[in-house]
Amino acid sequence: MSKLKNKVTVVTGGNSGIGFGIAEAFKNEGAVGAITGRNEKTLNHAVEILGNNFISIPGDVTNADDLENTFKKTFEKFGKIDALVVNAGGIVDGVPLGTIDTVTEENYDSYMDLNLKSAYFTVQKSLPYLNDGASIILIGSSAAHRAAPGMAIYSAAKAAIISLAKGLSLDLLPRKIRVNTLSPGSIDTPVFGKIVPEEQLAQVKQLWIDITPVGRQGLPSDIGNAAVFLASDESAFIVGTEILSDGGLTNISLMK
Ligand SMILES: NC(=O)c1ccc[n+]([C@@H]2O[C@H](COP(=O)([O-])OP(=O)(O)OC[C@H]3O[C@@H](n4cnc5c(N)ncnc54)[C@H](OP(=O)(O)O)[C@@H]3O)[C@@H](O)[C@H]2O)c1
């Protein structure tokens, strides 16, 4: 109930799926802070559930001014920032993923902008406001380790996130700011509705369950629990590395 007591947190993309699961887990452990996203309706709804200790700050993570505004507003409200979760990402609205014969340069750039560039600049823009000793959690993906159809660019962006956690931890050593990657496997969130039509949703989710050794999709709360650990002082000796929360998807084969 109090692993994050008095900690001020920022979760980008905290209005949906994994980000909301992380914000809820943070709240349950006594944290306060801000969630961000572009959709004001889902932001308001999320804050209603999270309660008075959380505020919502609308913004696009691919926009430098919006990022600056996020950290400025959080700092003005709470006076410090102890933990940052760089979670916003995934599917670019209206832009299909695909195999190399179908992807345009524009599509490539939009996926890299959302899933890699925005993560780098989210961290950069947070730095003037972050406490020394803060924890930064980058949301990666098991996709960085295991190819899936049409996902090459997304997977490459997430692989680069794992590398960023190492390089940025080195850059930030003088301030004792730890940067780690938390990589989910297949997690049951609204993202699937952005990729496949409603009538195929159950079938696609079942495909993921079939290849996940623990026999289920993860829940946003599974990622939330791991994020609590990385944001807390219990993980003080963990820096520049990756934690997989994927039900064994990456490292265990079910082949008989
Ligand atoms: N679900 C999985 O199986 C899975 C597995 C591995 C990794 N991940 C990663 O986990 C993270 C969250 O994914 P999810 O499954 O929770 O998906 P989701 O439910 O679609 O949530 C995506 C979040 O990112 C925000 N977002 C997207 N584009 C944005 C932009 N340009 N500016 C600001 N916010 C933006 C969305 O808010 P708005 O739409 O309001 O902007 C939303 O809050 C992503 O980084 C994803 O790559 C997911």
Side-chain angles (χ1 to χ4, degrees), residues 116-176:
L116 178 57
K117 186 178 173 187
S118 83
Y120 187 86
F121 287 101
T122 299
V123 173
Q124 189 191 68
K125 294 293 179 189
S126 74
L127 292 176
Y129 303 96
L130 277 195
N131 271 347
D132 286 0
S135 172
I136 298 176
I137 302 164
L138 309 179
I139 298 300
S141 174
S142 58
H145 303 284
R146 193 174 167 161
M151 302 281 280
I153 298 168
Y154 171 79
S155 298
K158 291 297 191 179
I161 289 290
I162 296 165
S163 178
L164 266 193
K166 301 174 193 179
L168 296 181
S169 285
L170 180 57
D171 287 354
L172 297 171
L173 271 185
R175 292 187 54 192
K176 297 185 168 37

Side-chain angles (χ1 to χ4, degrees), residues 178-180 229-230 232-241:
R178 302 181 290 120
V179 189
N180 291 292
F229 171 65
L230 284 174
S232 77
D233 300 335
E234 287 181 2
S235 59
F237 205 52
I238 297 179
V239 57
T241 193

Side-chain angles (χ1 to χ4, degrees), residues 23-44:
E24 265 199 313
F26 282 3
K27 181 205 86 170
N28 291 339
E29 290 296 341
V32 301
I35 58 169
T36 78
R38 294 161 304 168
N39 183 322
E40 298 206 27
K41 199 169 154 209
T42 51
L43 273 176
N44 292 338

Side-chain angles (χ1 to χ4, degrees), residues 4 7-27 31-38 43 46-47 50 54-59 61 67 70-71 74 78 81-89 122 130 135 137 139 220 223-224 227-228 231:
L4 301 179
K7 298 245 190 220
V8 180
T9 60
V10 174
V11 183
T12 67
N15 53 344
S16 179
I18 289 172
F20 181 67
I22 292 171
E24 265 199 313
F26 282 3
K27 181 205 86 170
V32 301
I35 58 169
T36 78
R38 294 161 304 168
L43 273 176
V47 159
L50 291 169
F54 276 78
I55 59 170
S56 66
I57 305 173
V61 290
L67 289 173
T70 292
F71 298 111
T74 308
F78 298 102
I81 302 175
D82 301 296
L84 163 64
V85 184
V86 183
N87 163 78
T122 299
L130 277 195
S135 172
I137 302 164
I139 298 300
I223 308 306
V228 165

